[in-house]
Amino acid sequence: MKRTVSALRPKAALVIDPFCTVCEAAKKCSKAHVDAVLICDDGKLMGILTDTDVLARVIAKGLDPKEVKVCDVMTREPTCVRSGEDAVEALCTMVSHAFRHLPVLDDNGRIIGVLDITKCLYDAIARLERYVSDASASLSRSVLAALPQTHAHTQAHAQQAHARQMLDALVSKLFAPPIAQVLSSRDGADRHAFSLRGD
């Protein structure tokens, strides 16, 4: 059974009027702790405005955010996804087009929320690490259970301890380092920034 977009738990959308100023939009974003707003007129989705849009299209150009209307700098007719569509396809769309945000609609075209690529990737990494951890533990249990049993308790204990030591080393090579460790590594290796445009 496919995993749908709704299973990705889209964030509640902050919707504003197209004639709000960028400054007003920024204040609403700050209050709601979001970095993107959807712009609607009469219930119809017109565009999306992100923090990156504000930086690139307003601040960097020396425009006054108290005067500029969001409808003049928003991304018009943004790509959307339906809540019942395949989650993997939605994520692939975000990655292939470098979208940080993707509006989610219901079958009637009403706004349900917004997918945030950062949250989606964090959830995916957490799920993957849980899977790897479970697989590692299962492998360890299976191998240890298959070891021959001896009648001498001390000998059996020593045998299992030695086997576990070797097995832990094997599991470490198979499943380590953890993804979180790789992402947070600061061992001097080259780090390449992955920049996403502000859609």
Side-chain angles (χ1 to χ4, degrees):
M1 184 176 179
K2 74 175 182 179
R3 183 176 167 84
T4 63
V5 169
S6 59
L8 297 176
R9 297 175 297 168
K11 288 183 177 180
L14 175 60
V15 178
I16 64 173
D17 184 273
F19 300 106
C20 278
T21 66
V22 170
C23 184
E24 291 170 336
K27 289 179 179 179
K28 291 181 179 182
C29 283
S30 178
K31 185 176 180 179
H33 302 289
V34 297
D35 53 6
V37 293
L38 300 184
I39 295 87
C40 293
D41 189 23
D42 291 331
K44 181 181 179 182
L45 179 63
M46 295 180 59
I48 185 172
L49 183 72
T50 72
D51 54 352
T52 305
D53 294 331
V54 174
L55 288 173
R57 301 173 186 175
V58 181
I59 305 302
K61 293 184 177 180
L63 302 179
D64 186 351
K66 293 182 180 179
E67 299 294 334
V68 177
K69 306 296 183 184
V70 295
C71 60
D72 294 327
V73 291
M74 67 184 182
T75 298
R76 294 181 176 275
E77 300 180 356
T79 300
C80 299
V81 65
R82 302 284 176 169
S83 60
E85 291 182 14
D86 186 85
V88 174
E89 291 183 7
L91 292 176
C92 287
T93 296
M94 297 182 80
V95 172
S96 62
H97 294 283
F99 295 152
R100 290 192 302 135
H101 305 89
L102 193 62
V104 180
L105 311 178
D106 65 13
D107 291 335
N108 296 315
R110 291 188 293 264
I111 297 170
I112 292 178
V114 178
L115 284 181
D116 184 317
I117 191 63
T118 304
K119 178 181 178 298
C120 289
L121 291 179
Y122 178 85
D123 289 347
I125 289 171
R127 286 168 61 87
L128 180 58
E129 285 202 309
R130 286 196 299 271
Y131 172 79
V132 169
S133 178
D134 290 345
S136 172
S138 177
L139 176 61
S140 295
R141 288 194 299 270
S142 297
V143 173
L144 289 175
L147 289 174
Q149 301 297 314
T150 67
H151 295 291
H153 177 72
T154 54
Q155 183 179 353
H157 180 75
Q159 182 185 37
Q160 287 206 350
H162 180 61
R164 177 172 288 280
Q165 186 178 12
M166 291 191 299
L167 184 59
D168 285 345
L170 173 62
V171 168
S172 179
K173 288 181 186 254
L174 287 173
F175 296 103
I179 293 172
Q181 179 182 334
V182 173
L183 293 179
S184 62
S185 174
R186 295 182 181 276
D187 59 0
D190 291 336
R191 301 172 66 87
H192 298 281
F194 177 50
S195 158
L196 295 172
R197 67 184 176 86
D199 288 4

